[in-house]
Amino acid sequence: MLTFDQVSKRYPSGKEALSGISFAMQAGEFAFLTGHSGAGKSTLMKLIIAMERPSTGQILFNGENVNRIAHSRVPYLRRQVGVVFQNHQLLFDRNVYANVALPLEIGGHRPSEIRGRVRAALSKVGLADRENHFPITLSGGEQQRVGIARAVVNRPSLLLADEPTGNLDPDLSRDIMDLFLQFNQVGVTVVIATHDIALVEQLDKRRIELDQGRLRESKWQT
Amino acid sequence: MANLTPSGASISRQSLADRIAAWGRHHRFVSQDALLRLLDTPLAAITTWIVVAIALALPIILYLLLNYAGTLRQDWDGSPRISLYLHSGVDERLAADLTSRLLLRSDVASADLITRQQALLEFEQHSGFGDILNTLPDNPLPALIEISPVATDGGDIRLLVASLQQEDWVEEVIYDADWMLRLFTMLELAERLTLTIGIVLAVGVLLIIGNTIRLTIENRRSEIEVVKLVGGTDGFVRRPFLYLGFWLGLGGALGAWLVVQLSIGYLSGPIERLAQSYRNDFALRFLSIEETCLILIGGSFLGVVAALLSVGQHLSRIQPQ
Ligand SMILES: Nc1ncnc2c1ncn2[C@@H]1O[C@H](COP(=O)(O)OP(=O)(O)OP(=O)(O)O)[C@@H](O)[C@H]1O
Ligand SMILES: [Mg+2]
């Protein structure tokens, strides 16, 4: 469902964040994206949702050529991909409920359906009792989980998570990982960028490792 | 988990009716939200509304005044007219004689005698002050002959006027076209000035509303970025700002309407008196329902156009990082 073919990304600053990346993900796969800070993990995820365009190479997602996608099609691409951002990207003037409901409102769902899905997503991440709180009153980890709820509420076919456990203690990290595994079990393709090698090694999953923007090793599993 | 199974493109599963309903819901929500946000900073909102109201009201008032002046022109058939007031010593027979002699002149197209009696009647009809004249022992009005010249050129007409002034039976020659033409030239100037002022102020309104919207876009930058990140289309992102423009324009138009109505109330007395002195029964009336609608629609339209321009300029620059 997702194919990278000789993809390079050079930022306008001249920094080559990714060079010659090629890999493929099957629908329903689960993979970790690892590598040192600055290796290009976030850049790779930004390319998938057309936040950045590759300098060379081709990206295919669900049969669509992402590097040549029309500006007007980008929103529809993004609706199919749930993203947990490294910097959360929450709206601080809206409460937790409104933050999670945003993708559904954009999708034009009925209010009753929005309510049901938002509640379900919030209880999944253990924040059912916080829906009226504002993000600023939540801890870093709680904000992270609001971001996760928002990423999954629209039932995406691909879930990208950039350091989703960066602010969490080991127990909570494990819970969140289990949550991603559950999503994966019902068919969602999941890619998780992380530094947390210990956690990655606990789970015997595919690992895509970046080093200075190059693919170092891709460990296949299953 | 059942509640969160993936659906891929969940949007395609919605029926057209569902999507139209969602679209309507969003419009209703966004329009209310835009107004509420505007009223959240009442001072800023009212300031913008007042500025827009003044900018809209000024050309409207000028236009109404010109409209009034235009009715003066309609009363005048456009051909220059010369009035010869006769000496009091000229009796009616001689006056008739003089009139036919004038008609024979090659530079006179028509000549109509208005006797003292006729002048008195006409004055009574038009002024309503006939009673006052009746208290006088004698009819104070002179007889006059109204002439329209063959010439249309101002210089030739003035030659005719000069030659008529030489006649010893003529008390006074009044050539009305002189000041009428000057007035009409001034009216035309005023018309163009009004149009210019109107255009300049409309551009001003576009800039004022556009600037308010630019600031709002700047304030809501992170929100715009997040909405774009989770799949908001350009239309979805643009909508709150178009409604903001609409409310700013509509509020300004309402203010302009109020200013215009108050001005009409204030000006109508003197205008009516002025009109009567020109034997014109024009009265400045308050704005009709149609004119009110026109002002409100025009104002909100201007607001939306301003928003479209501003949004087109500033929104595409905001891309999520
Ligand atoms: N907008 C940008 N302009 C220029 N250079 C950038 C930009 N974004 C990232 N980079 C550079 O590209 C490289 C890869 O950045 P990226 O954010 O993808 O790394 P990362 O693997 O996500 O790191 P981290 O684990 O710290 O989040 C870095 O050297 C970074 O400085
Ligand atoms: Mg990163």
Side-chain angles (χ1 to χ4, degrees):
Chain A
M1 72 160 349
L2 178 66
T3 314
F4 270 59
D5 183 17
Q6 290 298 320
V7 174
S8 300
K9 172 64 185 177
R10 183 188 288 274
Y11 280 108
S13 63
K15 168 82 190 174
E16 179 130 327
L18 293 174
S19 10
I21 303 288
S22 298
F23 69 91
M25 297 266 306
Q26 307 305 316
E29 237 185 312
F30 188 108
F32 286 112
L33 184 62
T34 60
H36 59 89
S37 179
K41 304 182 293 294
S42 298
T43 301
L44 192 147
M45 293 193 157
K46 286 177 181 173
L47 290 178
I48 298 172
I49 57 167
M51 271 174 84
E52 296 286 352
R53 302 278 176 148
S55 311
T56 58
Q58 236 189 21
I59 302 167
L60 286 174
F61 172 67
N62 277 343
E64 189 157 30
N65 202 333
V66 176
N67 45 318
R68 276 214 295 269
I69 190 171
H71 174 76
S72 60
R73 288 280 313 154
V74 170
Y76 301 99
L77 166 74
R78 290 180 184 166
R79 288 177 198 184
Q80 297 174 54
V81 185
V83 186
V84 182
F85 295 95
Q86 194 167 9
N87 54 354
H88 312 331
Q89 300 273 18
L90 297 180
L91 291 174
F92 285 89
D93 60 347
R94 298 194 193 183
N95 64 21
V96 167
Y97 181 94
N99 267 284
V100 176
L102 188 63
L104 299 176
E105 273 161 11
I106 287 170
H109 294 269
R110 270 191 306 278
S112 55
E113 190 182 347
I114 292 179
R115 216 169 303 124
R117 286 219 218 169
V118 171
R119 298 244 160 91
L122 281 175
S123 66
K124 272 282 156 223
V125 297
L127 290 175
D129 55 340
R130 299 295 185 90
E131 60 175 53
N132 292 320
H133 289 229
F134 281 81
I136 203 78
T137 67
L138 302 180
S139 73
E142 287 164 338
Q143 291 182 17
Q144 195 89 286
R145 286 185 278 156
V146 176
I148 294 169
R150 188 185 62 191
V152 299
V153 78
N154 205 17
R155 301 174 187 167
S157 55
L158 174 64
L159 182 59
L160 305 177
D162 199 350
E163 300 287 353
T165 58
N167 288 309
L168 308 181
D169 60 61
D171 282 352
L172 204 50
S173 296
R174 191 54 228 233
D175 287 350
I176 293 296
M177 271 314 156
D178 285 344
L179 195 58
F180 286 125
L181 287 169
Q182 283 178 48
F183 289 124
N184 180 239
Q185 259 146 35
V186 295
V188 184
T189 313
V190 179
V191 180
I192 297 172
T194 182
H195 284 125
D196 197 341
I197 302 301
L199 197 65
V200 172
E201 277 166 0
Q202 271 180 39
L203 299 163
D204 203 18
K205 291 287 182 186
R206 179 179 176 188
R207 191 165 150 189
I208 301 168
E209 191 173 346
L210 289 174
D211 181 20
Q212 308 275 19
R214 288 174 194 285
L215 209 58
R216 202 162 67 181
E217 130 197 353
S218 188
K219 178 184 166 201
W220 289 86
Q221 200 69 41
T222 309
Chain B
M1 212 61 217
N3 219 349
L4 290 170
T5 48
S7 66
S10 61
I11 190 85
S12 60
R13 281 209 316 222
Q14 290 175 284
S15 73
L16 185 65
D18 268 0
R19 277 155 74 177
I20 290 172
W23 186 83
R25 237 182 354 253
H26 189 243
H27 270 271
R28 214 169 327 124
F29 170 77
V30 169
S31 58
Q32 285 168 12
D33 188 58
L35 184 60
L36 290 178
R37 279 174 189 266
L38 191 57
L39 296 175
D40 242 13
T41 51
L43 206 65
I46 288 170
T47 310
T48 312
W49 277 330
I50 288 176
V51 173
V52 172
I54 292 170
L56 291 177
L58 194 60
I60 295 173
I61 292 171
L62 285 176
Y63 172 80
L64 291 174
L65 289 177
L66 276 176
N67 214 12
Y68 156 67
T71 61
L72 283 185
R73 182 177 353 196
Q74 278 164 20
D75 283 357
W76 194 57
D77 61 11
S79 59
R81 192 151 298 178
I82 302 167
S83 302
L84 298 179
Y85 287 89
L86 305 183
H87 263 304
S88 49
V90 179
D91 67 18
E92 240 171 75
R93 268 199 43 211
L94 180 54
D97 207 39
L98 289 169
T99 309
S100 15
R101 282 228 306 271
L102 279 172
L103 269 172
L104 292 177
R105 287 180 64 141
S106 59
D107 50 2
V108 171
S110 75
D112 296 303
L113 175 65
I114 295 165
T115 63
R116 299 179 61 194
Q117 209 51 44
Q118 285 168 328
L120 184 63
L121 266 170
E122 213 168 284
F123 182 80
E124 276 174 0
Q125 271 170 11
H126 278 292
S127 68
F129 291 127
D131 295 346
I132 298 173
L133 293 182
N134 287 339
T135 63
L136 297 175
D138 203 12
N139 177 2
L141 298 174
L144 72 145
I145 301 174
E146 283 203 332
I147 291 175
S148 48
V150 171
T152 50
D153 174 69
D156 291 346
I157 294 171
R158 229 151 284 151
L159 275 178
L160 173 64
V161 170
S163 88
L164 290 171
Q165 255 157 358
Q166 304 298 312
E167 305 280 358
D168 51 7
W169 42 269
V170 170
E171 171 83 43
E172 200 186 356
V173 182
I174 297 208
Y175 173 40
D176 62 2
D178 239 7
W179 70 268
M180 278 295 227
L181 286 177
R182 220 171 296 143
L183 175 71
F184 292 160
T185 315
M186 261 154 57
L187 275 182
E188 202 183 314
L189 193 68
E191 249 165 42
R192 292 187 185 196
L193 212 61
T194 303
L195 190 67
T196 313
I197 290 174
I199 290 171
V200 168
L201 289 180
V203 171
V205 168
L206 288 181
L207 292 177
I208 294 159
I209 295 182
N211 191 52
T212 306
I213 286 172
R214 182 183 64 81
L215 292 175
T216 314
I217 289 175
E218 220 41 67
N219 279 335
R220 295 177 70 178
R221 188 185 194 99
S222 60
E223 184 181 345
I224 294 167
E225 287 181 2
V226 172
V227 168
K228 284 191 174 185
L229 272 183
V230 297
T233 57
D234 283 353
F236 189 94
V237 174
R238 195 161 45 213
R239 213 163 289 155
F241 303 104
L242 297 190
Y243 271 109
L244 176 59
F246 171 81
W247 290 121
L248 288 173
L250 183 65
L254 268 173
W257 176 85
L258 193 68
V259 171
V260 171
Q261 296 288 56
L262 290 176
S263 308
I264 290 173
Y266 184 61
L267 294 175
S268 66
I271 292 263
E272 244 161 86
R273 282 197 292 281
L274 190 64
Q276 269 164 12
S277 75
Y278 283 102
R279 296 182 181 175
N280 182 314
D281 50 5
F282 180 88
L284 208 56
R285 40 169 196 77
F286 286 102
L287 293 171
S288 66
I289 301 276
E290 287 86 356
E291 287 162 332
T292 302
C293 288
L294 202 67
I295 291 174
L296 297 186
I297 291 171
S300 14
F301 177 75
L302 217 53
V304 173
V305 169
L308 273 173
L309 292 174
S310 183
V311 158
Q313 219 177 350
H314 303 293
L315 218 51
S316 60
R317 276 213 315 258
I318 300 182
Q319 290 299 340
Q321 296 297 314

